[in-house]
Amino acid sequence: MLASGLAEIDYHGYNGWPWIFVVEGAITVLFGILTMFFLPNTPGHARFLSEEERYGAMRRMKLDAHGATTASDIAAEKFSWAQVRLALLNWNTILLSLNFFAIITPIYSFSLFLPTIISSLGYTRVTAQLFTVPPNMGAFFTVLICSTLSDKIRARGPIMLGGCSVAIVGYIMLLAAKRPLVQYGGTFLVAAGIYPSSPAVMGWLANNLAPHYIRATGTGFQIGIANCAAFIATFVYLPQDAPHYRVGHSINIGMLGLSLILTTISILYVKWENGKRARGERDGCLALGDEGLLGHRHPSFRYTI
């Protein structure tokens, strides 16, 4: 809705779409600056929490580490390059970073070109912008539902398998359907499938890395790899492919298929590794030295599915 209004601005030779980037970009930069002053580094530094609440949050994080750290407080942890190596050189980081790359490709291309896709169904520019609101609002509620469900069942992979499958059905509707209304319905399924998969894959890696510095390094690496998908997403929907955009839809289906494969491999790997730890086959790690340096390799640590 904001984009629809901004697209109508005509001022000093800048007409329409440049104002979308200027205004929305400025808002993003402003909030980014504000977070530098108000976002705490750890729950223990959160001034908006009471002393009791801070203690409870830190205690939960300690229990969630499952032996991955010997420090009683995150602030007491010390950075080392060994932790960086531990964060990057493990299967969870590699698989889930590639998985996020596969998910971000349709997310970026869908968000950038949804008005173009809707315009190809026969709607005018302003109407097409307004018609992007319902699919995105539907995705907003789907993300909340899936995130709550994911926490409740303590699993991320199954949510991603379901989301990617739904999104693939949506893209097939965009490819195969002839009626604009059916194609528009496909955009709802695409949005409802791809957007919940993003927080799921990010949360999945964060759950499977510990302690603090290892998790921060791994998730930062994951986001960096995933954002490279913008190079692909920008060239997915080309003008010469209008109005059906079969190439773009097919590329996104392929990326979602890759995500399904990587998610399945990750689930099988996590189950296999957790089984070995449950049988005591990883207890030999305890003889390697300081338990505090083991991180998520500690035999007591269990990976999230």
Side-chain angles (χ1 to χ4, degrees), residues 229-251:
F231 295 112
I232 298 176
T234 307
F235 299 101
V236 163
Y237 293 104
L238 300 175
Q240 60 263 33
D241 296 329
H244 302 294
Y245 296 105
R246 291 189 176 92
V247 174
H249 296 331
S250 299
I251 290 174

Side-chain angles (χ1 to χ4, degrees), residues 76-108:
E77 293 181 16
K78 301 297 182 182
F79 171 81
S80 71
W81 287 106
Q83 292 178 316
V84 174
R85 187 166 58 251
L86 191 59
L88 302 182
L89 300 181
N90 75 83
W91 285 111
N92 275 305
T93 301
I94 295 169
L95 289 171
L96 295 178
S97 295
L98 293 175
N99 203 336
F100 199 14
F101 179 91
I103 288 294
I104 281 290
T105 302
I107 286 179
Y108 277 176

